[in-house]
Amino acid sequence: MSLLALVEYLPGMLDQQLKSDADLRRFEYAVLLRLNRTPERTLPMLNLSAATFGSLSRLSHSVRRLEARGLVERRRKGGSRYVTLTHEGRHAFLAAAPGHVQEIRRLVLEHLPPGTAGDLAALLAPVAKHLGGIAPRN
Amino acid sequence: MSLLALVEYLPGMLDQQLKSDADLRRFEYAVLLRLNRTPERTLPMLNLSAATFGSLSRLSHSVRRLEARGLVERRRKGGSRYVTLTHEGRHAFLAAAPGHVQEIRRLVLEHLPPGTAGDLAALLAPVAKHLGGIAPRN
DNA sequence: AAAGATTGATTGGTCAATCTTG
DNA sequence: CAAGATTGACCAATCAATCTTT
C-alpha cells in the first residue's frame, strides 16, 4: 500500500517541481538526460523510447515540442530518425538537474531509514527488471 | 533508480489492466474502493479526495463521470456534497477487484525476494507518510 | 511487407477562476 | 468572507490509423 501511495504521489510532485523550476515535464527531462549521457548526444527514436520508459508515440509528440523549443534536433538517417541534444538543450538540462535531484532526495531518500537506500534498491531491482521486460512496446 | 522505473511503469500498466477488464481508471477504482469500505458507502468530497490521493478538482471531474455511468450518486447536505456508491457501482467494484489485486500481485509482489514484502513496506511507510503530509490540498 | 516513426482524435488531469452554502 | 466544490480552458498521454524507408 505504501508503494501504491508513492506511485500516486511522486509523479505529480516531481512534475510540479520540474515545471515550476525548469518548465519541463518529467518525461522531457528524461529525454534530455538520456541524450546528455550519450557520447554523441544522439540516439534513434526507438532506443530513446526504451531508455525513457515511454511509447514511441509519446516520445514523438514530446520530441516535436522539444524541437520547437530548440532543445533537440532531428535528422533522418536510413530507416531511423536520430535525435540530438542541442547546446541550448544541454544548458536546459544542466540547469534543471541539480534541483530535480535535490527534490528526489528531499521527497524520498531523506525519509528512508538511514543506510537502507541500498536495501530498497535490492528489493525493487527485480521488480523493475520484470516490468521493463513486459512493458508495451508500441 | 529502480523506484523511479516503477513509478514510471506501474501506473500505466495498472491503468491498462483496469481499463480493458473493467473500463475503469485507476483513480475511479480508488474512488469506488474507498466508498465501498465505508459504513454507509458514503463520503463527503473532501474526505474522499484525501483518501484517494487526488485533488478536489480531479475528484469532481471523476465523480461527474461516474455519476453519469450510474456508479455513484451525489447529494448536497449543508456545506458539503456527499457521494454514495450505488448498487451498480458496488457491482462494478466487486467485479473489478479480484483482477486488479491479481495484477498487482503479478507485477510486483511475485517479483520481490520471498518474504520481503514486509521489509519493503517498512522502508516505504515513512516516505509515503511524508508525501501524504506535504501533498497539495487543492 | 516490415520496421521505425508520425499524426490526429479523444480523453483525463491540472490550474485558475468561479459558484454556493453557512 | 471562508470552506467546500465545480467549471472551463488548456495540455499531455493514449490509441489506432497512417506514412516512410529499406
Side-chain angles (χ1 to χ4, degrees):
Chain A
M1 290 310 291
S2 293
L3 179 60
L4 292 182
L6 276 206
V7 158
E8 295 301 327
Y9 278 133
L10 252 195
M13 292 176 139
L14 293 179
D15 263 336
Q16 257 191 300
Q17 178 270 324
L18 273 177
K19 172 138 207 229
S20 74
D21 292 2
D23 194 24
L24 289 171
R25 327 242 151 264
R26 232 164 57 259
F27 186 71
E28 295 173 325
Y29 177 86
V31 167
L32 301 184
L33 169 70
R34 285 296 168 175
L35 290 175
N36 187 57
R37 273 198 187 166
T38 259
E40 301 298 325
R41 313 204 189 296
T42 296
L43 282 174
M45 293 291 286
L46 197 59
N47 295 14
L48 191 51
S49 84
T52 52
F53 314 133
S55 70
L56 214 34
S57 166
R58 181 183 188 182
L59 179 63
S60 189
H61 285 304
S62 194
V63 164
R64 177 175 28 79
R65 286 168 215 136
L66 289 172
E67 185 176 44
R69 294 169 60 181
L71 305 185
V72 303
E73 285 170 356
R74 285 137 139 190
R75 50 181 228 283
R76 190 178 304 283
K77 188 178 174 191
S80 292
R81 189 80 103 117
Y82 286 74
V83 188
T84 302
L85 193 61
T86 63
H87 291 277
E88 200 181 346
R90 181 165 159 76
H91 273 261
F93 170 70
L94 293 175
H100 188 56
V101 169
Q102 166 71 10
E103 180 75 352
I104 293 173
R105 195 184 313 286
R106 193 175 74 79
L107 292 178
V108 180
L109 301 178
E110 284 185 1
H111 300 278
L112 290 173
T116 60
D119 301 352
L120 178 62
L123 290 180
L124 293 183
V127 182
K129 190 175 170 211
H130 175 244
L131 293 184
I134 65 171
R137 291 274 163 261
N138 34 167
Chain B
M1 290 311 288
S2 294
L3 179 60
L4 291 183
L6 277 206
V7 157
E8 295 300 327
Y9 277 135
L10 252 194
M13 291 177 143
L14 293 179
D15 264 335
Q16 257 192 302
Q17 178 270 325
L18 273 177
K19 172 136 207 233
S20 74
D21 293 3
D23 193 25
L24 289 172
R25 327 245 148 259
R26 230 162 60 257
F27 186 71
E28 295 174 324
Y29 177 86
V31 168
L32 301 184
L33 170 72
R34 285 299 168 174
L35 289 176
N36 188 56
R37 273 197 187 165
T38 259
E40 300 298 324
R41 313 203 188 296
T42 296
L43 282 174
M45 292 292 285
L46 198 60
N47 294 15
L48 191 50
S49 85
T52 53
F53 314 133
S55 71
L56 214 34
S57 165
R58 182 182 187 182
L59 179 62
S60 189
H61 285 304
S62 194
V63 163
R64 176 176 28 76
R65 288 168 214 136
L66 289 172
E67 184 175 44
R69 294 169 60 182
L71 305 185
V72 303
E73 286 171 356
R74 285 136 138 187
R75 49 182 229 284
R76 189 178 305 283
K77 187 179 174 191
S80 292
R81 189 79 104 118
Y82 285 75
V83 187
T84 302
L85 192 61
T86 63
H87 291 276
E88 199 181 347
R90 181 165 159 76
H91 273 260
F93 169 71
L94 293 175
H100 188 56
V101 169
Q102 166 72 8
E103 180 75 352
I104 293 173
R105 194 184 315 285
R106 192 175 75 79
L107 292 178
V108 180
L109 301 179
E110 284 185 1
H111 300 277
L112 291 173
T116 60
D119 301 353
L120 178 63
L123 290 180
L124 294 183
V127 182
K129 190 175 170 210
H130 176 243
L131 294 185
I134 65 171
R137 293 274 162 261
N138 34 159

